[in-house]
Amino acid sequence: MSDERGLRADVAEGVGTITIDRPAKRNAMTAEMWRELPVLLDRLAADPSVRVVVLTGAGGDFCAGADIGELADINRHDEGHLSTKAEEALAAFPKPTIAAIEGFCVGGGCQLAAACDLRFAAEGARFGITPAKLGIVYPASATTRIVRLVGPAAAKYLLYSADLIGTEHALRIGLLDEVVPAASLRTRIAEFTATLASRSLLTQQATKEIVDAIAAGAPVEQRVRAWLDEVVAGGDAAEGVAAFLERRKPNFTWSAPTR
């Protein structure tokens, strides 16, 4: 993929990796990159070999946010906010998603990280939500997601000040799930994604849908019943019990229908 587009997707051993690859600009996202992200996500969602997706950045940074030079295009009212569409596509991705964060994770970068299910960061990473430096308003969906992650007071701290915070602060307020030494981030991500790929995708996908609905205050009873029917129809439950009784690793084979 050309450097102008700045996104690339790779699949290996059940893990799909989307890399924001514009290191000369700290991986700032152009309008075309915001448009391209949902396309890549659709491709990975339809690939039955993909069990988990990692979003990361090239060159030592995660993402410095939207390219300021293209902000008017990114926030065009006739298309809606391109960043919001990309964020919502990432949040709706049916399989587990992890943000692997180094360096700067700022503005739209935080927006993308927050849309992932989990966030792992290398020591020394820096986080900030910076619309107050530009006199603009952070998108509603992104603000809602940040409030759910860190709570109203911490969200106001980030949005009011536009200050950058370190990994210790980000972990304390709930913006991060794990912090690891910088040299160990890739190893830790590989270990954790291997664990996720070995588990039941049926359980993970049901969990994601149900937990997200609960977090949004939506009713879940009907969806829980539907997933219980899927458990009966699928083979993962029988395989899990058999593997436990036989003291072996399970070989889960359930996959969602292609979208």
Side-chain angles (χ1 to χ4, degrees):
M1 187 172 292
S2 71
D3 185 60
E4 289 182 359
R5 296 179 76 179
L7 291 177
R8 52 185 170 85
D10 306 283
V11 177
E13 298 181 352
V15 180
T17 301
I18 297 177
T19 303
I20 307 169
D21 192 4
R22 201 177 174 224
K25 297 292 186 178
R26 295 191 186 276
N27 298 324
M29 295 273 289
T30 65
E32 178 59 26
M33 291 163 70
W34 289 111
R35 291 187 185 96
E36 181 69 8
L37 183 56
V39 176
L40 295 181
L41 289 167
D42 280 345
R43 188 184 308 163
L44 293 173
D47 186 341
S49 73
V50 174
R51 305 296 299 273
V52 56
V53 163
V54 174
L55 179 66
T56 193
D61 287 303
F62 181 72
C63 175
D67 188 314
I68 300 299
E70 298 192 17
L71 202 58
D73 191 18
I74 292 167
N75 291 344
R76 281 171 58 184
H77 292 296
D78 58 339
E79 287 189 272
H81 284 200
L82 295 177
S83 61
T84 296
K85 291 184 176 182
E87 169 208 346
E88 291 177 344
L90 181 56
F93 189 80
K95 305 169 188 180
T97 55
I98 302 171
I101 302 164
E102 299 175 284
F104 283 93
C105 178
V106 179
C110 269
Q111 186 177 0
L112 291 174
C116 292
D117 295 319
L118 299 169
R119 286 149 294 282
F120 289 25
E123 291 176 345
R126 303 285 284 171
F127 302 83
I129 305 177
T130 54
K133 288 185 176 181
L134 300 171
I136 61 176
V137 177
Y138 208 47
S141 62
T143 303
T144 300
R145 216 174 300 282
I146 289 293
V147 171
R148 287 178 186 157
L149 272 179
V150 305
K156 288 175 181 177
Y157 177 97
L158 293 169
L159 286 160
Y160 285 174
S161 69
D163 284 346
L164 299 186
I165 63 172
T167 52
E168 182 179 345
H169 189 163
L171 184 65
R172 184 174 70 249
I173 64 176
L175 186 58
L176 291 176
D177 298 288
E178 283 194 24
V179 177
V180 300
S184 303
L185 181 62
R186 291 181 183 275
T187 299
R188 176 59 183 141
I189 291 292
E191 291 172 348
F192 192 71
T193 54
T195 295
L196 295 191
S198 74
R199 307 304 194 215
S200 168
L201 182 60
L202 187 155
T203 300
Q204 292 167 344
Q205 194 159 326
T207 298
K208 180 165 185 170
E209 183 177 333
I210 294 165
V211 169
D212 286 351
I214 292 171
V220 297
E221 290 79 7
Q222 184 175 353
R223 290 307 304 152
V224 170
R225 287 195 294 270
W227 278 111
L228 291 175
D229 290 342
E230 187 67 25
V231 169
V232 173
D236 274 14
E239 168 61 13
V241 171
F244 178 82
L245 294 175
E246 296 166 13
R247 299 184 178 181
R248 60 174 175 81
K249 292 182 179 181
N251 179 28
F252 294 118
T253 57
W254 182 89
S255 62
T258 302
R259 295 198 302 179

